Amino acid sequence: MAIILRFVDAHGFLREHFFQIVHVHDTTAATLKKEICDVLTRYNLEIHNIRGQEYDGASNMCGAFNGLQALFLKDCPYAYYVNCFSHRLQLALVAAAENEISIWLFFLNSTTIVNLVTSSSKRNVELQSAQVNEIARSVVAGECETGRGANQIGTLHRVGTTRWSSHFDSICDLINKYNATINVLENIITDGSSTSMRGEAGGSLIVMKYFDFIFILYLMHKIMAITDLLCRALQQKSLDIVNAMDLVSTTKALPLTLRNDGFDILLSYVKSFCTRLDIDIPDMSAHYKHSSRSCQQKDAITVEHHFNYDIFNATIDFQLEELNSRFSDETVELLMLSSALDPKDNFNRFNIDKICNLAEKYYPEDFTEQEIHNLRCQLQHYELDVVCHENFQKYPLSQNCVQERAFSAMKHVKIVLRNRMGEDFLTDSMIIYIEREFASSIDSDSIIDEYYTLKNRRAQLR
């Protein structure tokens, strides 16, 4: 477990530094809290002085009742938890959608299709050739526009657990290259080198021509198109908090609008797509028989009801639940109020009311009533002084924080030739590697002198 501290130094600058790496026997919230507390206590850092926590979205970290952030909040009510928003948001949204079994099967099948079609250079060539023929046909039929940058030839993107937008890219490719992919699968069925390969291609071809697959393909495309902008914005190294929170609001609102008004439009489009490609469309008014229900089921659920409520609404609800969990109203308000302290653009977001509201609402024990009154007066002076005082222009209130990933650094430190180092030595080595500004300020002679003071040495280091 890597521990990284963010703090304000004696000069008022915001700092963020790698602090320590700790071996843990398990990843339960109680174990992690104990180890963190032990490290902080060892260096005389008191728990009640914590004013913020940031972890990823794993349940043992962000759980509202028994998560690590909840355990710290019991000891320190002002250690507000802010989810690491950019931490694979799209992957979390995909995982939430997969709570619906039909969505889980869709991603399982789409991964199989993409892997099968892109598994060799020969099939990639076949895919690109099929795209050329399909584009030529579409241009003649007037189904697509021509122009610079239009109708690009490419391959299918594979999804990845570390590529945040890979699911959306893969879905876009399946839509844009649907006919070309069908063509490659048909070639594999005819010319495949083994029975298993031909059988896998045959199964994938059947799946791609199911109405269910096409419906979910376009449903996930609509949902991910809404969330993708937020996912990409949160990955930027320089992030505008206000704009990001505005994106959060719209990303929450648009799926709700889609849920209320979008089903009929989506269904009509999918029907049109299936009619054009001669794919069977189920009778929407027919009785739907769920595979997990008894053959004696009594409920009169129609096929349209199943697609509308069991898939369309349920998938969007899972997405909204995940978004609301990661971007709670309290967290959004805390960040919006904090944006009043942003020194960007000559402090143009400086707002006295927001800063006082931040102090009163979120940190009441840190400020007495008299201090709040004094704070308002001090901020009024500050507002007039900051725009014209050259020291404030030269040295802003905060500096950009650059957090280097500790576990990325570990592979450079703990190599094959020194893979048995103890935890203390590993931590010290990683601090030197990550916090290079400190390492560069250390004089080699002082290290040698310290080395000699420990005991007499026969080796001469100078």
Side-chain angles (χ1 to χ4, degrees):
M1 174 176 62
I3 301 176
I4 295 167
L5 297 187
R6 178 178 291 174
F7 58 94
V8 179
D9 67 13
H11 302 289
F13 291 116
L14 185 62
R15 305 289 188 183
E16 184 176 90
H17 292 299
F18 172 78
F19 192 65
Q20 192 157 1
I21 189 167
V22 182
H23 175 75
V24 291
H25 297 287
D26 58 65
T27 57
T28 61
T31 298
L32 298 179
K33 179 177 184 292
K34 177 183 180 302
E35 294 294 342
I36 293 174
C37 290
D38 288 347
V39 170
L40 296 180
T41 302
R42 192 182 312 147
Y43 294 97
N44 298 319
L45 298 173
E46 309 215 358
I47 302 299
H48 69 266
N49 288 328
I50 296 177
R51 290 297 179 270
Q53 308 176 69
E54 183 178 11
Y55 318 113
D56 61 24
S59 58
N60 63 328
M61 310 300 283
C62 70
F65 301 104
N66 297 313
L68 180 59
Q69 62 92 13
L71 298 182
F72 271 114
L73 280 173
K74 292 177 183 177
D75 296 335
C76 182
Y78 305 125
Y80 298 108
Y81 166 62
V82 177
N83 190 296
C84 181
F85 291 147
S86 64
H87 184 79
R88 303 181 183 179
L89 176 59
Q90 191 179 102
L91 300 183
L93 295 174
V94 170
E98 287 179 344
N99 285 319
E100 162 54 41
I101 186 66
S102 299
I103 306 298
W104 182 85
L105 287 172
F106 164 79
F107 279 112
L108 179 66
N109 290 324
S110 62
T111 300
T112 300
I113 292 167
V114 171
N115 290 341
L116 184 62
V117 171
T118 61
S119 61
S120 72
S121 57
K122 176 185 176 182
R123 290 173 197 164
N124 276 316
V125 171
E126 289 179 0
L127 179 67
Q128 292 171 4
S129 177
Q131 290 176 63
V132 171
N133 296 333
E134 178 62 22
I135 290 171
R137 184 201 64 78
S138 300
V139 170
V140 171
E143 296 176 356
C144 66
E145 298 180 357
T146 59
R148 184 172 183 176
N151 307 316
Q152 296 291 310
I153 304 298
T155 187
L156 301 178
H157 283 83
R158 298 189 182 192
V159 299
T161 56
T162 57
R163 289 176 290 161
W164 294 341
S165 296
S166 60
H167 284 82
F168 183 57
D169 293 338
S170 182
I171 285 175
C172 290
D173 286 338
L174 277 175
I175 290 176
N176 295 332
K177 303 172 180 65
Y178 181 87
N179 288 336
T181 303
I182 292 288
N183 187 279
V184 173
L185 291 175
E186 289 173 345
N187 290 341
I188 296 174
I189 293 172
T190 304
D191 305 323
S193 59
S194 66
T195 303
S196 60
M197 183 181 297
R198 293 193 295 270
E200 189 175 8
S204 297
L205 185 63
I206 292 172
V207 166
M208 285 194 72
K209 291 187 175 182
Y210 270 145
F211 181 87
D212 303 51
F213 182 88
I214 298 170
F215 179 86
I216 296 175
L217 176 66
Y218 278 95
L219 169 61
M220 293 310 301
H221 180 265
K222 279 187 171 293
I223 293 175
M224 287 190 172
I226 292 172
T227 59
D228 187 64
L229 185 60
L230 176 61
C231 291
R232 294 183 187 275
L234 293 175
Q235 296 167 36
Q236 296 177 5
K237 291 183 178 181
S238 179
L239 181 64
D240 187 313
I241 294 176
V242 174
N243 289 340
M245 293 306 102
D246 288 341
L247 265 178
V248 168
S249 299
T250 55
T251 305
K252 285 183 178 181
L254 288 174
L256 193 58
T257 302
L258 176 65
R259 187 185 190 279
N260 295 333
D261 307 320
F263 175 75
D264 291 335
I265 298 173
L266 176 65
L267 183 62
S268 176
Y269 186 86
V270 173
K271 284 182 176 180
S272 174
F273 179 88
C274 291
T275 300
R276 189 168 68 250
L277 297 180
D278 196 26
I279 294 174
D280 291 337
I281 301 173
D283 181 1
M284 291 295 158
S285 61
H287 178 71
Y288 176 76
K289 184 176 180 181
H290 199 289
S291 58
S292 64
R293 293 195 180 106
S294 166
C295 60
Q296 304 296 326
Q297 68 178 60
K298 305 293 183 181
D299 50 350
I301 294 177
T302 63
V303 173
E304 182 173 352
H305 182 281
H306 166 68
F307 281 105
N308 192 343
Y309 294 93
D310 296 344
I311 298 180
F312 184 83
N313 286 2
T315 303
I316 295 175
D317 287 344
F318 284 129
Q319 300 282 287
L320 289 171
E321 182 180 350
E322 185 67 24
L323 286 170
N324 288 327
S325 172
R326 287 175 173 265
F327 304 96
S328 66
D329 292 339
E330 182 186 62
T331 300
V332 171
E333 183 183 18
L334 176 61
L335 291 175
M336 290 293 286
L337 293 176
S338 300
S339 68
L341 298 167
D342 191 348
K344 285 183 180 178
D345 302 325
N346 203 23
F347 292 85
N348 69 338
R349 287 191 177 135
F350 185 84
N351 186 298
I352 293 175
D353 290 333
K354 284 186 176 181
I355 296 173
C356 291
N357 190 15
L358 178 67
E360 288 180 286
K361 183 172 182 178
Y362 286 93
Y363 305 101
E365 290 189 7
D366 289 340
F367 298 89
T368 65
E369 186 175 341
Q370 183 60 41
E371 286 174 334
I372 290 291
H373 176 73
N374 292 339
L375 176 64
R376 183 174 292 276
C377 295
Q378 291 164 358
L379 289 172
Q380 290 170 349
H381 285 279
Y382 180 83
E383 186 176 28
L384 296 176
D385 192 38
V386 69
V387 295
C388 58
H389 201 294
E390 63 177 16
N391 284 340
F392 285 113
Q393 301 299 326
K394 188 176 180 181
Y395 303 108
L397 282 179
S398 63
Q399 295 178 330
N400 290 331
C401 291
V402 179
Q403 175 179 329
E404 186 163 351
R405 295 177 62 188
F407 291 104
S408 295
M410 186 185 294
K411 65 182 180 181
H412 297 288
V413 175
K414 196 171 184 178
I415 61 175
V416 176
L417 296 179
R418 50 171 183 259
N419 64 350
R420 295 186 179 182
M421 61 174 65
E423 291 178 22
D424 292 339
F425 184 36
L426 176 61
T427 298
D428 294 342
S429 300
M430 289 183 64
I431 290 176
I432 295 298
Y433 182 86
I434 296 172
E435 304 294 348
R436 298 180 188 180
E437 61 178 283
F438 295 136
S440 61
S441 65
I442 301 174
D443 179 41
S444 298
D445 289 335
S446 65
I447 298 176
I448 294 174
D449 291 338
E450 178 69 20
Y451 188 67
Y452 276 133
T453 60
L454 297 177
K455 67 176 183 178
N456 294 328
R457 310 284 179 177
R458 283 186 288 180
Q460 296 298 315
L461 302 179
R462 285 195 179 93

